[in-house]
mmCIF file of all heavy atoms in Angstrom:
data_model
loop_
_atom_site.group_PDB
_atom_site.id
_atom_site.type_symbol
_atom_site.label_atom_id
_atom_site.label_comp_id
_atom_site.label_asym_id
_atom_site.label_seq_id
_atom_site.Cartn_x
_atom_site.Cartn_y
_atom_site.Cartn_z
ATOM 1 N N PRO A 136 -32.511 69.401 -23.065
ATOM 2 C CA PRO A 136 -31.345 69.413 -23.707
ATOM 3 C C PRO A 136 -30.540 68.198 -23.452
ATOM 4 O O PRO A 136 -30.895 67.246 -22.526
ATOM 5 C CB PRO A 136 -30.582 70.692 -23.173
ATOM 6 C CG PRO A 136 -31.256 70.756 -21.683
ATOM 7 C CD PRO A 136 -32.497 70.241 -21.891
ATOM 8 N N PRO A 137 -29.367 67.898 -24.101
ATOM 9 C CA PRO A 137 -28.524 66.775 -23.970
ATOM 10 C C PRO A 137 -28.185 66.405 -22.598
ATOM 11 O O PRO A 137 -28.053 65.378 -22.127
ATOM 12 C CB PRO A 137 -27.424 66.985 -24.818
ATOM 13 C CG PRO A 137 -27.785 67.813 -25.916
ATOM 14 C CD PRO A 137 -28.786 68.745 -25.227
ATOM 15 N N VAL A 138 -27.968 67.477 -21.666
ATOM 16 C CA VAL A 138 -27.620 67.232 -20.259
ATOM 17 C C VAL A 138 -28.667 66.655 -19.560
ATOM 18 O O VAL A 138 -28.389 65.758 -18.647
ATOM 19 C CB VAL A 138 -27.160 68.479 -19.584
ATOM 20 C CG1 VAL A 138 -28.314 69.550 -19.435
ATOM 21 C CG2 VAL A 138 -26.440 68.403 -18.264
ATOM 22 N N VAL A 139 -29.980 66.827 -19.834
ATOM 23 C CA VAL A 139 -31.017 66.153 -19.246
ATOM 24 C C VAL A 139 -31.226 64.731 -19.703
ATOM 25 O O VAL A 139 -31.333 63.742 -19.086
ATOM 26 C CB VAL A 139 -32.434 66.940 -19.348
ATOM 27 C CG1 VAL A 139 -33.606 66.273 -18.641
ATOM 28 C CG2 VAL A 139 -32.175 68.417 -18.570
ATOM 29 N N ALA A 140 -31.452 64.662 -20.997
ATOM 30 C CA ALA A 140 -31.676 63.347 -21.725
ATOM 31 C C ALA A 140 -30.558 62.374 -21.545
ATOM 32 O O ALA A 140 -30.768 61.259 -21.231
ATOM 33 C CB ALA A 140 -31.819 63.525 -23.145
ATOM 34 N N GLY A 141 -29.320 62.928 -21.548
ATOM 35 C CA GLY A 141 -28.174 62.078 -21.358
ATOM 36 C C GLY A 141 -28.039 61.520 -20.066
ATOM 37 O O GLY A 141 -27.685 60.342 -19.836
ATOM 38 N N THR A 142 -28.371 62.331 -19.038
ATOM 39 C CA THR A 142 -28.283 61.864 -17.597
ATOM 40 C C THR A 142 -29.246 60.749 -17.400
ATOM 41 O O THR A 142 -28.958 59.734 -16.799
ATOM 42 C CB THR A 142 -28.665 63.122 -16.613
ATOM 43 O OG1 THR A 142 -27.664 64.133 -16.806
ATOM 44 C CG2 THR A 142 -28.724 62.566 -15.093
ATOM 45 N N VAL A 143 -30.496 60.874 -17.902
ATOM 46 C CA VAL A 143 -31.450 59.798 -17.677
ATOM 47 C C VAL A 143 -31.135 58.515 -18.449
ATOM 48 O O VAL A 143 -31.138 57.404 -17.891
ATOM 49 C CB VAL A 143 -32.835 60.296 -18.164
ATOM 50 C CG1 VAL A 143 -33.926 59.230 -18.072
ATOM 51 C CG2 VAL A 143 -33.409 61.480 -17.408
ATOM 52 N N LEU A 145 -28.023 57.586 -19.114
ATOM 53 C CA LEU A 145 -26.973 56.972 -18.423
ATOM 54 C C LEU A 145 -27.374 56.236 -17.187
ATOM 55 O O LEU A 145 -26.922 55.123 -16.924
ATOM 56 C CB LEU A 145 -26.177 58.168 -17.961
ATOM 57 C CG LEU A 145 -24.927 57.870 -17.171
ATOM 58 C CD1 LEU A 145 -23.941 56.880 -17.861
ATOM 59 C CD2 LEU A 145 -24.076 59.077 -16.736
ATOM 60 N N VAL A 146 -28.368 56.735 -16.501
ATOM 61 C CA VAL A 146 -28.962 56.094 -15.265
ATOM 62 C C VAL A 146 -29.703 54.794 -15.639
ATOM 63 O O VAL A 146 -29.672 53.772 -14.901
ATOM 64 C CB VAL A 146 -29.878 57.064 -14.503
ATOM 65 C CG1 VAL A 146 -30.558 56.224 -13.294
ATOM 66 C CG2 VAL A 146 -29.040 58.227 -13.925
ATOM 67 N N LEU A 149 -26.916 52.179 -16.227
ATOM 68 C CA LEU A 149 -26.357 51.837 -14.891
ATOM 69 C C LEU A 149 -27.328 51.034 -13.945
ATOM 70 O O LEU A 149 -26.885 50.087 -13.341
ATOM 71 C CB LEU A 149 -25.877 53.000 -14.070
ATOM 72 C CG LEU A 149 -24.972 53.874 -14.705
ATOM 73 C CD1 LEU A 149 -24.565 55.173 -13.931
ATOM 74 C CD2 LEU A 149 -23.486 53.015 -14.765
ATOM 75 N N GLY A 368 -25.826 57.262 -23.253
ATOM 76 C CA GLY A 368 -26.029 58.325 -22.293
ATOM 77 C C GLY A 368 -24.837 59.265 -22.252
ATOM 78 O O GLY A 368 -25.010 60.519 -22.221
ATOM 79 N N ILE A 369 -23.649 58.725 -22.156
ATOM 80 C CA ILE A 369 -22.398 59.543 -22.107
ATOM 81 C C ILE A 369 -22.202 60.336 -23.436
ATOM 82 O O ILE A 369 -21.901 61.465 -23.368
ATOM 83 C CB ILE A 369 -21.232 58.583 -21.831
ATOM 84 C CG1 ILE A 369 -21.310 57.945 -20.443
ATOM 85 C CG2 ILE A 369 -19.923 59.308 -21.971
ATOM 86 C CD1 ILE A 369 -20.194 56.952 -20.170
ATOM 87 N N LEU A 371 -24.580 61.379 -25.383
ATOM 88 C CA LEU A 371 -25.491 62.522 -25.319
ATOM 89 C C LEU A 371 -25.012 63.626 -24.434
ATOM 90 O O LEU A 371 -25.027 64.896 -24.820
ATOM 91 C CB LEU A 371 -26.876 62.014 -24.742
ATOM 92 C CG LEU A 371 -27.896 61.266 -25.709
ATOM 93 C CD1 LEU A 371 -28.990 60.760 -24.960
ATOM 94 C CD2 LEU A 371 -28.272 62.297 -26.828
ATOM 95 N N LEU A 372 -24.489 63.250 -23.331
ATOM 96 C CA LEU A 372 -23.892 64.228 -22.327
ATOM 97 C C LEU A 372 -22.699 65.095 -23.087
ATOM 98 O O LEU A 372 -22.638 66.290 -22.835
ATOM 99 C CB LEU A 372 -23.320 63.575 -21.268
ATOM 100 C CG LEU A 372 -24.489 63.120 -20.173
ATOM 101 C CD1 LEU A 372 -23.755 62.302 -19.004
ATOM 102 C CD2 LEU A 372 -25.357 64.172 -19.544
ATOM 103 N N THR A 373 -21.857 64.377 -23.884
ATOM 104 C CA THR A 373 -20.808 65.108 -24.328
ATOM 105 C C THR A 373 -21.205 66.040 -25.489
ATOM 106 O O THR A 373 -20.333 66.795 -26.026
ATOM 107 C CB THR A 373 -19.788 64.045 -24.817
ATOM 108 O OG1 THR A 373 -20.275 63.122 -25.777
ATOM 109 C CG2 THR A 373 -19.154 63.365 -23.609
ATOM 110 N N ASP A 375 -23.091 68.456 -25.049
ATOM 111 C CA ASP A 375 -23.212 69.723 -24.408
ATOM 112 C C ASP A 375 -21.830 69.910 -23.771
ATOM 113 O O ASP A 375 -21.017 69.096 -23.666
ATOM 114 C CB ASP A 375 -24.222 69.706 -23.314
ATOM 115 C CG ASP A 375 -25.268 70.772 -23.480
ATOM 116 O OD1 ASP A 375 -25.049 71.680 -24.220
ATOM 117 O OD2 ASP A 375 -26.394 70.552 -22.962
ATOM 118 N N GLU A 376 -21.562 71.207 -23.483
ATOM 119 C CA GLU A 376 -20.301 71.581 -22.821
ATOM 120 C C GLU A 376 -20.198 71.026 -21.425
ATOM 121 O O GLU A 376 -21.284 70.952 -20.657
ATOM 122 C CB GLU A 376 -20.176 73.164 -22.714
ATOM 123 C CG GLU A 376 -19.788 73.834 -23.929
ATOM 124 C CD GLU A 376 -19.627 75.257 -23.667
ATOM 125 O OE1 GLU A 376 -20.190 75.785 -22.754
ATOM 126 O OE2 GLU A 376 -18.824 75.898 -24.462
ATOM 127 N N MET A 377 -19.095 70.433 -21.047
ATOM 128 C CA MET A 377 -19.009 69.909 -19.722
ATOM 129 C C MET A 377 -18.542 70.930 -18.723
ATOM 130 O O MET A 377 -17.477 71.086 -18.151
ATOM 131 C CB MET A 377 -18.038 68.744 -19.690
ATOM 132 C CG MET A 377 -18.614 67.473 -20.171
ATOM 133 S SD MET A 377 -19.796 66.784 -18.931
ATOM 134 C CE MET A 377 -21.315 67.229 -19.575
ATOM 135 N N SER A 378 -19.445 72.108 -18.692
ATOM 136 C CA SER A 378 -19.236 73.115 -17.747
ATOM 137 C C SER A 378 -19.491 72.681 -16.280
ATOM 138 O O SER A 378 -20.042 71.646 -16.091
ATOM 139 C CB SER A 378 -20.118 74.274 -18.177
ATOM 140 O OG SER A 378 -21.513 73.923 -17.977
ATOM 141 N N ALA A 379 -19.039 73.588 -15.324
ATOM 142 C CA ALA A 379 -19.317 73.270 -13.929
ATOM 143 C C ALA A 379 -20.706 73.119 -13.662
ATOM 144 O O ALA A 379 -21.212 72.189 -12.893
ATOM 145 C CB ALA A 379 -18.746 74.378 -13.051
ATOM 146 N N ARG A 380 -21.522 73.884 -14.298
ATOM 147 C CA ARG A 380 -22.984 73.801 -14.162
ATOM 148 C C ARG A 380 -23.641 72.466 -14.681
ATOM 149 O O ARG A 380 -24.282 71.740 -13.898
ATOM 150 C CB ARG A 380 -23.687 74.945 -15.018
ATOM 151 C CG ARG A 380 -25.289 74.744 -15.184
ATOM 152 C CD ARG A 380 -25.892 75.818 -16.200
ATOM 153 N NE ARG A 380 -27.319 75.716 -16.189
ATOM 154 C CZ ARG A 380 -28.042 74.884 -17.011
ATOM 155 N NH1 ARG A 380 -27.332 74.004 -17.685
ATOM 156 N NH2 ARG A 380 -29.256 75.006 -16.932
ATOM 157 N N ASN A 381 -23.199 72.055 -15.850
ATOM 158 C CA ASN A 381 -23.701 70.696 -16.405
ATOM 159 C C ASN A 381 -23.131 69.545 -15.520
ATOM 160 O O ASN A 381 -23.882 68.611 -15.286
ATOM 161 C CB ASN A 381 -23.254 70.611 -17.840
ATOM 162 C CG ASN A 381 -24.132 71.487 -18.794
ATOM 163 O OD1 ASN A 381 -25.029 72.183 -18.407
ATOM 164 N ND2 ASN A 381 -23.728 71.464 -19.991
ATOM 165 N N MET A 382 -21.887 69.642 -15.138
ATOM 166 C CA MET A 382 -21.352 68.598 -14.230
ATOM 167 C C MET A 382 -22.035 68.511 -12.923
ATOM 168 O O MET A 382 -22.236 67.428 -12.366
ATOM 169 C CB MET A 382 -19.831 68.851 -14.149
ATOM 170 C CG MET A 382 -19.024 68.479 -15.293
ATOM 171 S SD MET A 382 -17.265 68.376 -14.941
ATOM 172 C CE MET A 382 -16.777 70.080 -14.811
ATOM 173 N N THR A 383 -22.520 69.758 -12.323
ATOM 174 C CA THR A 383 -23.243 69.728 -11.231
ATOM 175 C C THR A 383 -24.682 69.000 -11.311
ATOM 176 O O THR A 383 -24.994 68.164 -10.573
ATOM 177 C CB THR A 383 -23.509 71.184 -10.698
ATOM 178 O OG1 THR A 383 -22.294 71.776 -10.400
ATOM 179 C CG2 THR A 383 -24.356 71.130 -9.513
ATOM 180 N N ILE A 384 -25.171 69.196 -12.560
ATOM 181 C CA ILE A 384 -26.518 68.564 -12.920
ATOM 182 C C ILE A 384 -26.388 67.226 -12.963
ATOM 183 O O ILE A 384 -27.075 66.401 -12.298
ATOM 184 C CB ILE A 384 -27.047 69.160 -14.180
ATOM 185 C CG1 ILE A 384 -27.423 70.667 -13.929
ATOM 186 C CG2 ILE A 384 -28.245 68.390 -14.596
ATOM 187 C CD1 ILE A 384 -27.917 71.403 -15.304
ATOM 188 N N VAL A 385 -25.366 66.606 -13.727
ATOM 189 C CA VAL A 385 -25.223 65.199 -13.942
ATOM 190 C C VAL A 385 -24.711 64.539 -12.641
ATOM 191 O O VAL A 385 -25.295 63.480 -12.169
ATOM 192 C CB VAL A 385 -24.101 64.987 -14.971
ATOM 193 C CG1 VAL A 385 -23.901 63.480 -15.096
ATOM 194 C CG2 VAL A 385 -24.640 65.564 -16.366
ATOM 195 N N GLY A 386 -23.859 65.209 -11.860
ATOM 196 C CA GLY A 386 -23.301 64.424 -10.702
ATOM 197 C C GLY A 386 -24.370 64.436 -9.567
ATOM 198 O O GLY A 386 -24.470 63.355 -8.979
ATOM 199 N N LEU A 387 -25.202 65.483 -9.409
ATOM 200 C CA LEU A 387 -26.165 65.541 -8.388
ATOM 201 C C LEU A 387 -27.315 64.546 -8.727
ATOM 202 O O LEU A 387 -27.771 63.876 -7.833
ATOM 203 C CB LEU A 387 -26.669 66.806 -8.202
ATOM 204 C CG LEU A 387 -27.544 67.120 -6.915
ATOM 205 C CD1 LEU A 387 -26.829 66.570 -5.561
ATOM 206 C CD2 LEU A 387 -27.985 68.540 -6.711
ATOM 207 N N ALA A 388 -27.741 64.455 -9.989
ATOM 208 C CA ALA A 388 -28.783 63.522 -10.445
ATOM 209 C C ALA A 388 -28.285 62.198 -10.175
ATOM 210 O O ALA A 388 -29.083 61.220 -9.752
ATOM 211 C CB ALA A 388 -29.090 63.863 -11.862
ATOM 212 N N LEU A 389 -27.018 61.752 -10.519
ATOM 213 C CA LEU A 389 -26.451 60.494 -10.354
ATOM 214 C C LEU A 389 -26.423 59.974 -8.900
ATOM 215 O O LEU A 389 -26.895 58.938 -8.418
ATOM 216 C CB LEU A 389 -25.144 60.302 -10.954
ATOM 217 C CG LEU A 389 -25.166 60.270 -12.482
ATOM 218 C CD1 LEU A 389 -23.540 60.279 -12.917
ATOM 219 C CD2 LEU A 389 -25.679 58.926 -13.025
ATOM 220 N N ALA A 390 -25.928 61.044 -8.112
ATOM 221 C CA ALA A 390 -25.777 60.658 -6.622
ATOM 222 C C ALA A 390 -27.062 60.405 -6.003
ATOM 223 O O ALA A 390 -27.190 59.544 -5.224
ATOM 224 C CB ALA A 390 -25.085 61.994 -5.952
ATOM 225 N N LEU A 391 -28.055 61.326 -6.151
ATOM 226 C CA LEU A 391 -29.431 61.133 -5.564
ATOM 227 C C LEU A 391 -30.161 59.954 -6.117
ATOM 228 O O LEU A 391 -30.685 59.132 -5.300
ATOM 229 C CB LEU A 391 -30.371 62.404 -5.783
ATOM 230 C CG LEU A 391 -29.899 63.667 -5.005
ATOM 231 C CD1 LEU A 391 -30.787 64.754 -5.406
ATOM 232 C CD2 LEU A 391 -30.166 63.374 -3.491
ATOM 233 N N SER A 392 -30.080 59.745 -7.362
ATOM 234 C CA SER A 392 -30.860 58.582 -7.900
ATOM 235 C C SER A 392 -30.346 57.248 -7.583
ATOM 236 O O SER A 392 -31.032 56.324 -7.011
ATOM 237 C CB SER A 392 -30.941 58.643 -9.540
ATOM 238 O OG SER A 392 -29.642 58.587 -10.044
ATOM 239 N N LEU A 393 -29.005 56.994 -7.812
ATOM 240 C CA LEU A 393 -28.371 55.709 -7.378
ATOM 241 C C LEU A 393 -28.226 55.625 -5.928
ATOM 242 O O LEU A 393 -28.315 54.428 -5.521
ATOM 243 C CB LEU A 393 -26.993 55.621 -8.120
ATOM 244 C CG LEU A 393 -27.108 55.737 -9.802
ATOM 245 C CD1 LEU A 393 -25.728 55.590 -10.320
ATOM 246 C CD2 LEU A 393 -27.934 54.574 -10.202
ATOM 247 N N VAL A 420 -36.060 59.612 -10.107
ATOM 248 C CA VAL A 420 -35.196 60.595 -9.428
ATOM 249 C C VAL A 420 -34.205 61.355 -10.248
ATOM 250 O O VAL A 420 -34.175 62.602 -10.219
ATOM 251 C CB VAL A 420 -34.464 59.967 -8.196
ATOM 252 C CG1 VAL A 420 -33.612 60.950 -7.361
ATOM 253 C CG2 VAL A 420 -35.489 59.155 -7.384
ATOM 254 N N ALA A 421 -33.540 60.683 -11.192
ATOM 255 C CA ALA A 421 -32.536 61.313 -12.054
ATOM 256 C C ALA A 421 -33.316 62.323 -13.053
ATOM 257 O O ALA A 421 -32.840 63.440 -13.288
ATOM 258 C CB ALA A 421 -31.888 60.165 -12.761
ATOM 259 N N THR A 424 -34.566 65.470 -10.990
ATOM 260 C CA THR A 424 -33.437 66.266 -10.478
ATOM 261 C C THR A 424 -32.700 66.973 -11.662
ATOM 262 O O THR A 424 -32.522 68.197 -11.590
ATOM 263 C CB THR A 424 -32.436 65.389 -9.838
ATOM 264 O OG1 THR A 424 -32.936 64.599 -8.743
ATOM 265 C CG2 THR A 424 -31.252 66.152 -9.236
ATOM 266 N N ALA A 425 -32.452 66.295 -12.740
ATOM 267 C CA ALA A 425 -31.772 66.956 -13.914
ATOM 268 C C ALA A 425 -32.678 68.003 -14.510
ATOM 269 O O ALA A 425 -32.106 69.077 -14.917
ATOM 270 C CB ALA A 425 -31.324 65.877 -14.989
ATOM 271 N N PHE A 426 -34.016 67.655 -14.607
ATOM 272 C CA PHE A 426 -34.833 68.613 -15.188
ATOM 273 C C PHE A 426 -34.982 69.878 -14.353
ATOM 274 O O PHE A 426 -34.964 71.026 -14.931
ATOM 275 C CB PHE A 426 -36.274 67.964 -15.303
ATOM 276 C CG PHE A 426 -37.314 68.895 -16.061
ATOM 277 C CD1 PHE A 426 -37.411 69.097 -17.307
ATOM 278 C CD2 PHE A 426 -38.312 69.394 -15.192
ATOM 279 C CE1 PHE A 426 -38.279 69.897 -17.844
ATOM 280 C CE2 PHE A 426 -39.310 70.237 -15.782
ATOM 281 C CZ PHE A 426 -39.229 70.508 -17.094
ATOM 282 N N LEU A 428 -32.853 71.031 -12.021
ATOM 283 C CA LEU A 428 -31.606 71.826 -11.997
ATOM 284 C C LEU A 428 -31.281 72.579 -13.268
ATOM 285 O O LEU A 428 -30.715 73.660 -13.234
ATOM 286 C CB LEU A 428 -30.468 70.865 -11.633
ATOM 287 C CG LEU A 428 -30.410 70.293 -10.309
ATOM 288 C CD1 LEU A 428 -29.356 69.199 -10.150
ATOM 289 C CD2 LEU A 428 -30.161 71.433 -9.214
ATOM 290 N N ASN A 429 -31.702 71.970 -14.426
ATOM 291 C CA ASN A 429 -31.487 72.651 -15.673
ATOM 292 C C ASN A 429 -32.227 73.831 -15.830
ATOM 293 O O ASN A 429 -31.871 74.835 -16.426
ATOM 294 C CB ASN A 429 -31.811 71.600 -16.837
ATOM 295 C CG ASN A 429 -31.546 72.312 -18.179
ATOM 296 O OD1 ASN A 429 -30.560 72.664 -18.598
ATOM 297 N ND2 ASN A 429 -32.678 72.409 -18.867
ATOM 298 N N LEU A 432 -30.651 76.399 -12.416
ATOM 299 C CA LEU A 432 -29.180 76.869 -12.199
ATOM 300 C C LEU A 432 -28.954 77.791 -13.498
ATOM 301 O O LEU A 432 -29.326 77.611 -14.545
ATOM 302 C CB LEU A 432 -28.274 75.632 -12.384
ATOM 303 C CG LEU A 432 -28.330 74.632 -11.258
ATOM 304 C CD1 LEU A 432 -27.271 73.601 -11.432
ATOM 305 C CD2 LEU A 432 -28.171 75.404 -9.957
#
Side-chain angles (χ1 to χ4, degrees):
V138 69
V139 175
T142 299
V143 175
L145 177 59
V146 172
L149 293 174
I369 294 174
L371 279 172
L372 288 173
T373 55
D375 241 335
E376 287 186 330
M377 277 293 96
S378 60
R380 172 189 183 273
N381 287 354
M382 286 193 288
T383 299
I384 292 173
V385 178
L387 192 53
L389 286 173
L391 287 174
S392 60
L393 298 179
V420 178
T424 302
F426 180 78
L428 288 176
N429 181 62
L432 294 184

